[in-house]
Amino acid sequence: MAKKSGQSGQVSLSRRQFGLAAGAAAAGMSLNMIPGFARRAFAAESAADIIKGKSPEMIIHNAKLGVMETPISLLRKYDHTPKDILFVRYHYPHEGEAAWYASLQAPQRKDWTLDIDGLVARPRSVKLADIEQMGQVKRVSVLQCAGNGRSFYAAKQKVGGGQWKNGGMGNVEWEGVPLRHFLDEMKLLPTASARWLTAEGWDQPATPEGSDFAKSYHIDDPALDNAILALKMNGEPIPAAHGGPLRLIIPGFYGNMNVKLLTKLMLMSEQSPSAFQSVGYRFPLKPVQPGEFKAGDYTLHNSRPTYGHMIKSVIFSPLPEDKPRSGAVEITGVAFNDGMAPITSVQASADGGKTWHEATIKPAEDPWAWYHWSAKATLAPGPNTLMSLATDALGRTQPLDGLARWNPRGYEWNGVERLVVTA
Ligand SMILES: Nc1nc2c(c(=O)[nH]1)N[C@H]1C(S)=C(S)[C@@H](COP(=O)(O)O)O[C@H]1N2
Ligand SMILES: [Mo]
């Protein structure tokens, strides 16, 4: 990896940039006075080199797979997260034949089909063009990787995988055909033994031992009532990097349940044997301690898939880089859950939880979208520990000690944040 970055750093020192640098030197400027120069010429690959059009400010977790997170300073600028800053997660290298989906362009794939297979009276293949003709609905939903916040578990014991902070999420407007509606129109009569709906993506593992990306949902899960076969993201065809031309969106469900590059829906009696369903993206049923339960210990019986978002709030402002002054401050941020009940309260603290201030909450656009909140507090000179705590109408709330939910794969972090800002 290090070698690869080094090489690409040299390659990206193009003649034009070199010319600019030489000109600047002649003009008595140092290289770091040229915006963007240092990063492009010498640092490891930038997000924009991995997926053209992505902001170079994205934090890269895996250059080969194109995994990247949004800094909160960018995320907070928009209500609907635009494509150039939305986090990205794929599981296979997008090289060779797969290179087409490492792009923010709308894929030109008019020949795309969705296969319907398994325990149905009549398996069939549906053209993208036919899905486009069906009635569409909009859903604003937070898209969040189940690994978002994983790095915070390191305070107990570091777990493997991308060390996500809070930026593995975004608030996105999706548009597409309601899944139930689609299944009805297709007259897909499930046979009596059909229990699970499995969705599969186009992407393939690099080696034959690898597992296809497939996820399964119980066919009676009420969350499927809100699911859509999405064709648009923020009002335009879904960029390939985000799963276009067709993506299954289950509003309120963790990222992995939202299968990109959707090619197949299957009705089955069991869940998919894919490792992404049977061992990966699962959460232990009982609390576990480091060492006693390992990443390889997951079974269908001792764990559950990461389905709906655990209730969570994230502080957007002030961030340490805002360099706030002491005195009155407005703490702002967002909160969201699985959309099954409204968020009814957010409390914020600026003194590490000694005193709490009730925030004003702006109604969310849709049950699965994020809620903006804002609370008045006071910053003391020196370091201040900011915290926020959301609760919903079902009484579900965030653990003050997020580490109590430590798990070997570091999923579903929803602990109360402790953000230290110095005034
Ligand atoms: N086909 C396919 N779908 C996928 C994945 C994948 O690797 N392949 N990754 C999943 C995971 S783990 C996440 S978090 C989201 C990321 O969506 P994004 O890249 O649009 O942010 O896509 C999900 N859907
Ligand atoms: Mo994810």
Side-chain angles (χ1 to χ4, degrees), residues 141-147 195-198 214-224 248 250-258 270-272 276-278 280-283 285 300 303-311 336-340 368 396 405 411-412:
S141 176
V142 172
L143 180 72
Q144 179 191 213
C145 182
R195 282 284 163 275
W196 294 86
L197 177 77
T198 289
K215 297 300 303 185
S216 302
Y217 320 88
H218 198 276
I219 52 173
D220 297 330
D221 192 325
L224 290 189
L248 180 62
I250 308 195
F253 268 25
Y254 281 106
N256 64 91
M257 307 305 290
N258 296 263
E270 305 290 338
Q271 309 178 45
S272 167
F276 294 100
Q277 176 73 16
S278 56
Y281 290 109
R282 301 185 70 85
F283 196 92
L285 291 179
L300 293 181
S303 63
R304 58 161 175 83
T306 53
Y307 283 133
H309 291 147
M310 301 300 286
I311 185 169
F336 58 92
N337 62 2
D338 56 5
M340 292 299 180
W368 322 274
R396 298 178 300 180
R405 300 187 74 238
Y411 293 139
E412 298 190 358

Side-chain angles (χ1 to χ4, degrees), residues 17-47:
Q17 284 167 6
F18 189 73
L20 179 62
M29 291 166 81
S30 76
L31 290 186
N32 59 18
M33 290 167 80
I34 307 171
F37 180 84
R39 184 186 292 123
R40 254 181 283 146
F42 299 116
E45 277 173 291
S46 117

Side-chain angles (χ1 to χ4, degrees), residues 67 87-91 144-148 150 164 168 213 254-257 281 306 411:
V67 182
F87 82 98
V88 186
R89 176 71 167 111
Y90 268 118
H91 291 79
Q144 179 191 213
C145 182
N148 196 30
R150 177 182 285 142
W164 300 88
F213 196 85
Y254 281 106
N256 64 91
M257 307 305 290
Y281 290 109
T306 53
Y411 293 139

Side-chain angles (χ1 to χ4, degrees), residues 102-276:
S103 166
L104 283 190
Q105 302 289 316
Q108 297 304 313
R109 296 221 150 212
K110 289 284 163 211
D111 54 341
W112 197 269
T113 51
L114 175 62
D115 292 340
I116 321 271
D117 213 341
L119 303 171
V120 289
R122 195 161 61 95
R124 59 191 296 182
S125 193
V126 187
K127 291 199 189 81
L128 183 66
D130 292 335
I131 302 175
E132 282 168 348
Q133 292 314 306
M134 298 177 166
Q136 318 275 315
V137 296
K138 285 183 186 166
R139 309 249 184 271
V140 180
S141 176
V142 172
L143 180 72
Q144 179 191 213
C145 182
N148 196 30
R150 177 182 285 142
S151 63
F152 305 127
Y153 284 118
K156 189 161 194 171
Q157 190 184 89
K158 189 177 170 183
V159 293
Q163 295 301 304
W164 300 88
K165 295 190 183 106
N166 281 327
M169 64 174 193
N171 191 47
V172 182
E173 184 196 272
W174 305 98
E175 195 173 337
V177 181
L179 173 74
R180 297 266 195 229
H181 191 111
F182 172 83
L183 297 177
D184 290 348
E185 282 221 353
M186 290 296 115
K187 306 211 171 18
L188 278 167
L189 301 175
T191 60
S193 53
R195 282 284 163 275
W196 294 86
L197 177 77
T198 289
E200 258 186 48
W202 181 94
D203 39 347
Q204 294 278 325
T207 55
E209 315 81 69
S211 204
D212 271 0
F213 196 85
K215 297 300 303 185
S216 302
Y217 320 88
H218 198 276
I219 52 173
D220 297 330
D221 192 325
L224 290 189
D225 297 344
N226 306 313
I228 58 172
L229 303 180
L231 298 159
K232 286 188 177 168
M233 177 176 121
N234 296 332
E236 52 172 80
I238 304 177
H242 294 291
L246 187 65
R247 178 173 193 173
L248 180 62
I249 291 292
I250 308 195
F253 268 25
Y254 281 106
N256 64 91
M257 307 305 290
N258 296 263
V259 176
K260 307 201 269 190
L261 314 171
L262 185 68
T263 50
K264 199 172 199 174
L265 289 177
M266 269 179 296
L267 284 166
M268 318 206 296
S269 59
E270 305 290 338
Q271 309 178 45
S272 167
S274 163
F276 294 100

